[in-house]
Amino acid sequence: LLVESGGGLVQPGGSLRLSCAASGFTSDNYAIGWFRQAPGKERKGVSCIRGSDSTTYYADSVKGRFAISRDRTKNMMYLQMNSLKPEDSAVYFCATADDSLCGTTRWGGAAAMDYWGKGTLVAVSS
């Protein structure tokens, strides 16, 4: 089970930290990441982190502004979002998949992902 939290309304240039609580997993050797979907648009990958070595990957649109992290002791994953822009507005989802898929073109594919959360809404507006 994956449960996201931390979304909300923020002004452009502001920051938010999203959290994803994972439960029911027998092992933590999987990749976990964030996706987002704006109204009328496709869901897109934002960032992911591998369980094996904590390697991280970011979409070009968020590089330098967002930071993904993982706390294995708490079964939590976070996305620190800084310098937010209106185009960052979307529902943000966390999801898991095989560790090797994070950072590959298969990441995010319907057949690749194992579990999804229900999402948390981020709105960036003045």
Side-chain angles (χ1 to χ4, degrees):
L1 179 65
L2 299 173
V3 180
E4 304 91 338
S5 61
L9 175 63
V10 63
Q11 292 187 340
S15 298
L16 278 177
R17 190 176 83 150
L18 304 183
S19 300
C20 174
S23 61
F25 293 86
T26 57
S27 164
D28 61 359
N29 193 30
Y30 54 84
I32 190 167
W34 292 96
F35 295 79
R36 67 186 182 186
Q37 187 169 22
K41 296 190 176 181
E42 291 184 337
R43 185 167 56 196
K44 293 186 177 181
V46 174
S47 180
C48 62
I49 183 168
R50 292 189 176 183
S52 56
D53 59 7
S54 297
T55 301
T56 58
Y57 296 88
Y58 296 93
D60 288 343
S61 59
V62 305
K63 281 180 182 176
R65 300 189 298 122
F66 290 11
I68 191 170
S69 60
R70 187 171 180 175
D71 186 337
R72 291 171 178 265
T73 65
K74 298 181 179 178
N75 292 325
M76 295 291 296
M77 185 207 28
Y78 306 99
L79 186 69
Q80 179 66 42
M81 305 188 295
N82 300 324
S83 302
L84 282 162
K85 305 175 182 180
E87 51 263 43
D88 294 318
S89 298
V91 178
Y92 283 71
F93 302 87
C94 60
T96 64
D98 185 85
D99 201 53
S100 65
L101 297 179
C102 173
T104 72
T105 55
R106 291 179 59 196
W107 177 258
M113 307 309 293
D114 295 324
Y115 300 100
W116 291 89
K118 293 186 178 181
T120 185
L121 178 63
V122 172
V124 184
S125 175
S126 54

